[in-house]
Amino acid sequence: MRGMRFGVNMMTAGTRADFVDKVRRAEELGFDVVTVADHLGMPAPFPALVLAAEATSRVRLGTFVLNAPFYHPALLARDAATTDQFSGGRLELGLGAGYVREEFEAAGLPWPGRRIDHVERTILELRKLFADDGYRPRPAQDGGPPLMLGGWGDRMLTLAARYADIVALTGAPAVKDGGLAGLAGADAFAERVSFLRARLDGRPVEVNLLVQAVVVTGDRRAALADLQRFAPSMPVEAIGELPTLLVGSVTEIAAQLAGMRDRFGITYVTVLERSMGAFAPVLEQLA
């Protein structure tokens, strides 16, 4: 599995001590990246990442992903540059268009609005500012932190093919009225990867997958049947082929990761915070 990276996305609130313990544990377990989500009701991303930087020494740190329409590009540039500087150049900036309608309403923003247009304007403004030698505050990384774009639909993947260093495939399409549809099957995932590759036209990017659940078990079929709640219309056999669910023994999950790398070109896998402990023995075996 050489060349692959593994991250954990922190989702739950807690005390300062709780958060410090979690990010230190992630680093100790061997994760390469610690990221934070961006939803109302969760800790603010940039202060959380600065705290994570103080508590760790090795892991990369990122947003997974910022709801770009929440941010004015110039103010986002300031926060990203400061966080990159204060983290010693460990920041990876993840952006998305947002998908939770209630959060837009709570923030007083129009839904659906021109969310993807705003993402592109944000990218262009960040590029312009970070390329200016006179811009302050300066990010620690030349040109600013690496850019991750997360999405699933045609417009976001086209944008990602044009601008992103890392493309995060959500594995679940957004629906018109807000929220996400059920997990996409392996064939749909393959089609999205093909769509992305065609638009990349050979440009190298890192492809990320967000895993929704990790279950280490000796009874894979029973665990898959339990996970049908993620895709109620799918038979158990199809559930077992979902890239977004890692199920089986440690050896079986390692083989599943190798298969995803070979079939889809995925070299960066992120698990949710609730799966950090379950994924730990897989990381140990891979190490």
Side-chain angles (χ1 to χ4, degrees):
M1 305 303 288
R2 185 170 295 174
M4 290 193 73
R5 295 199 300 163
F6 299 95
V8 57
N9 195 29
M10 299 301 180
M11 302 288 291
T12 59
T15 66
R16 181 186 188 281
D18 291 338
F19 186 74
V20 166
D21 286 346
K22 286 189 293 190
V23 298
R24 284 179 176 163
R25 180 62 175 155
E27 185 168 71
E28 290 166 0
L29 289 173
F31 283 96
D32 302 293
V33 190
V34 170
T35 57
V36 293
D38 183 23
H39 292 286
L40 298 182
M42 293 184 180
F46 290 117
L49 290 177
V50 171
L51 178 58
E54 285 298 296
T56 60
S57 60
R58 174 187 58 81
V59 290
R60 300 284 290 174
L61 303 162
T63 54
F64 201 116
V65 291
L66 291 182
N67 187 341
F70 282 1
Y71 300 87
H72 187 286
L75 300 181
L76 176 58
R78 179 192 63 179
D79 288 354
T82 301
T83 302
D84 192 44
Q85 188 63 240
F86 286 179
S87 67
R90 287 192 275 160
L91 179 64
E92 297 179 0
L93 184 64
L95 302 178
Y99 63 89
V100 183
R101 179 173 183 163
E102 292 78 9
E103 292 186 352
F104 278 76
E105 292 172 347
L109 296 171
W111 175 271
R114 303 182 66 85
R115 295 175 293 136
I116 296 176
D117 291 342
H118 183 86
V119 175
E120 184 166 24
R121 285 196 302 273
T122 298
I123 294 166
L124 294 174
E125 182 70 9
L126 293 176
R127 280 188 164 191
K128 182 184 77 172
L129 293 173
F130 294 156
D132 180 357
D133 290 339
Y135 177 73
R136 296 292 183 273
R138 295 297 302 159
Q141 299 174 84
D142 289 340
L147 177 66
M148 169 194 279
L149 291 181
W152 186 254
D154 288 359
R155 291 192 64 200
M156 274 302 296
L157 290 185
T158 298
L159 208 63
R162 187 179 305 148
Y163 297 115
D165 303 294
I166 308 162
V167 182
L169 296 168
T170 60
V175 296
K176 183 177 179 180
D177 292 331
L180 297 175
L183 297 180
D187 289 344
F189 199 92
E191 185 278 326
R192 291 287 81 192
V193 171
S194 178
F195 179 93
L196 173 65
R197 294 293 182 196
R199 280 143 188 84
L200 283 166
D201 194 28
R203 187 174 77 84
V205 297
E206 189 175 30
V207 180
N208 170 275
L209 173 67
L210 178 62
V211 171
Q212 297 297 318
V214 179
V215 181
V216 177
T217 176
D219 190 347
R220 189 170 189 265
R221 184 173 181 84
L224 289 171
D226 181 61
L227 290 171
Q228 277 188 300
R229 65 184 184 275
F230 285 101
S233 63
M234 287 188 188
V236 170
E237 292 75 15
I239 297 288
E241 296 179 355
L242 290 176
T244 42
L245 300 176
L246 298 177
V247 184
S249 67
V250 169
T251 300
E252 286 173 326
I253 290 175
Q256 187 178 349
L257 290 168
M260 287 161 35
R261 178 193 57 193
D262 295 343
R263 181 178 180 187
F264 304 122
I266 294 165
T267 57
Y268 175 15
V269 174
T270 300
V271 302
L272 298 177
E273 178 187 335
R274 63 174 178 258
S275 296
M276 181 167 68
F279 196 67
V282 181
L283 275 179
E284 184 178 4
Q285 175 162 309
L286 295 176

